[in-house]
Amino acid sequence: MFATVDAVNPSLRAARAATFIYFVLCGTLMGAWVVHIPAIETRVGISHATLGSLLVLLGLGAFAGMQVAGRLTDRLGPRLVVPATGILASAVLVLPGLARDPWTLAGALLAFGFCNGCLDVSMNAHAVHVEKAYGRPVMSAFHATFSVGGVIAAIAAAGAASAGMSPAATLGACAALGIVIALASARLLLPGTPAATATEQGRQAPVAKRSSTVRRIWILAALALTTMLCEGAANDWSTLHLKDVLGAPASTAAFGYGTFAAAMTTGRLLADRVAARFGAMAVLRYGSATAAVGITIAAFAPSVWAAFVGWTLFGLGLSGCIPQLFSAAGHADPAAAGANVSRVAGLGYLGMLAGPAVIGWLTHLTALNHTFLLLTLLCATTATAAGILRTGSGAMPEPEPELASSSH
């Protein structure tokens, strides 16, 4: 059933490599903005509260971009949409660095969020087609390289800052390089949607089947929301948990997020092999269960080291969940892979944005570590609902013969 390494032809390998490049590019662009937030905040002269409000526009722009790109990718094909959105996302990266007041920064963040959201969904849709052609799980590794992009951005920003470059100059250099990379990698993408007649087949599908697929997609989207809400909460509150609850010094507390992020990246590098052997449902079910155990340990940790164990298990457990949900959404209907991924990614992204806020609101009612029990409940709920990925209900289809074969 599965395409072996030897059976995969060079063009498919090139398409997979190009997908890795676009995931790294997307992560690097977002990371380049994130690491420059303090400098841009100072340059524009705004408070933390105002910045928080402006970041909402970044999220809203990304959500809107995801919805637009999903349908465009299905209609025009990822080979056109992925590089186009990569070029646009790179080009607008420089805008936050050029902003001089809150209004121009608001417009810059809205534009950057929109273009980055477009790139996010289109490259995930292409990743679904690559995975279909391979006939085995490869999605998690793509998501791992997104994190690598963030590391690259941090290293580049540190070097640029030490050289005395301004945020505008650094972001401009990243933008120019991103445009070159997006253009150079375009020819390596798959030549078209793998299922050439998928649209016609989708139109002829029974109404009952289409309705079932729609319900399935919204269930996947709901699970993405809960999973990414947990991820968003960890991003913003793990360091504060170690510092404020356990009294760790700032230098030590930073490793709270560090252990979570490292575990997420490591888990995604391993999740494809686990999914190939045990199935996507097992990755989602046991991963969510592991995450539930991890965040519960963190919530009641009596020491910093116990908290490190909890955050590590939390990251490791969550690591493979989102790639499986995205993959399942894309394979549910080849005619609408982009649109379905956009729905799941869009709702998941809203969860990512909501996570930190929800935990913040709950701290008005109880201690920070006790609010993590909500994350335990959400992870347990996801584990219970993992049957949506049961083999046979939208399982990964067979690889495309002309792509999986080593002969042309």
Side-chain angles (χ1 to χ4, degrees):
M1 174 181 176
F2 296 136
T4 64
V5 173
D6 293 334
V8 176
N9 73 15
S11 63
L12 181 54
R13 291 185 185 181
R16 187 184 184 190
T19 310
F20 278 124
I21 291 171
Y22 282 105
F23 269 80
V24 172
L25 174 62
C26 189
T28 302
L29 295 177
M30 182 57 72
W33 149 247
V34 169
V35 298
H36 283 96
I37 286 177
I40 292 174
E41 181 186 39
T42 301
R43 172 191 173 93
V44 176
I46 55 177
S47 65
H48 294 332
T50 301
L51 176 64
S53 299
L54 293 177
L55 289 177
V56 173
L57 293 176
L58 178 72
L60 292 177
F63 180 80
M66 288 176 180
Q67 307 316 304
V68 171
R71 295 185 181 278
L72 279 179
T73 303
D74 291 334
R75 179 173 299 179
L76 304 177
R79 191 171 196 177
L80 176 62
V81 178
V82 173
T85 56
I87 292 168
L88 288 174
S90 299
V92 300
L93 175 65
V94 70
L95 296 181
L98 298 175
R100 295 185 176 278
D101 56 62
W103 292 107
T104 53
L105 182 57
L109 293 182
L110 190 63
F112 178 62
F114 182 87
C115 294
N116 197 268
C118 288
L119 174 59
D120 195 319
V121 162
S122 61
M123 71 184 186
N124 269 287
H126 182 264
V128 168
H129 295 317
V130 171
E131 187 175 61
K132 179 180 185 294
Y134 265 82
R136 60 182 171 84
V138 296
M139 181 67 79
S140 292
F142 292 140
H143 283 249
T145 54
F146 179 90
S147 302
V148 172
V151 175
I152 292 174
I155 294 173
S162 64
M165 292 179 64
S166 67
T170 305
L171 293 176
C174 290
L177 183 59
I179 291 172
V180 172
I181 291 173
L183 282 170
S185 304
R187 62 184 181 84
L188 302 178
L189 297 173
L190 292 177
T193 304
T197 60
T199 302
E200 291 302 319
Q201 293 172 355
R203 288 173 181 167
Q204 297 171 6
V207 174
K209 183 177 180 180
R210 292 201 301 269
S211 177
S212 175
T213 299
V214 170
R215 285 196 299 271
R216 174 180 168 79
I217 293 302
W218 286 115
I219 293 173
L220 294 173
L223 294 178
L225 185 148
T226 60
T227 301
M228 293 184 73
L229 189 151
C230 292
E231 186 177 339
N235 290 343
D236 282 35
W237 291 104
S238 53
T239 297
L240 287 173
H241 167 239
L242 269 74
K243 181 177 179 292
D244 294 346
V245 177
L246 297 176
S251 57
T252 301
F255 285 101
Y257 173 71
T259 56
F260 171 80
M264 283 278 288
T265 303
T266 302
R268 284 178 171 171
L269 291 172
L270 300 174
D272 287 331
R273 293 173 181 253
V274 177
R277 181 166 184 178
F278 300 105
M281 183 180 71
V283 173
L284 184 61
R285 173 162 291 164
Y286 296 109
S288 298
T290 300
V293 171
I295 194 61
T296 304
I297 291 174
F300 295 106
S303 67
V304 169
W305 289 108
F308 283 153
V309 171
W311 287 114
T312 299
L313 288 175
F314 192 49
L316 192 63
L318 290 178
S319 62
C321 296
I322 284 298
Q324 306 312 313
L325 294 172
F326 280 23
S327 179
H331 293 304
D333 181 2
N340 288 336
V341 169
S342 73
R343 293 186 182 103
V344 174
L347 206 56
Y349 195 78
L350 290 181
M352 175 80 78
L353 294 174
V358 169
I359 295 299
W361 294 332
L362 289 177
T363 57
H364 293 295
L365 304 176
T366 186
L368 173 60
N369 57 315
H370 294 160
T371 67
F372 296 157
L373 294 180
L374 171 64
L375 308 183
T376 300
L377 178 61
L378 293 177
C379 289
T381 301
T382 302
T384 302
I388 190 71
L389 298 187
R390 184 174 290 107
T391 302
S393 58
M396 186 184 303
E398 294 287 345
E400 293 295 309
E402 67 274 17
L403 290 174
S405 173
S406 58
S407 61
H408 294 282

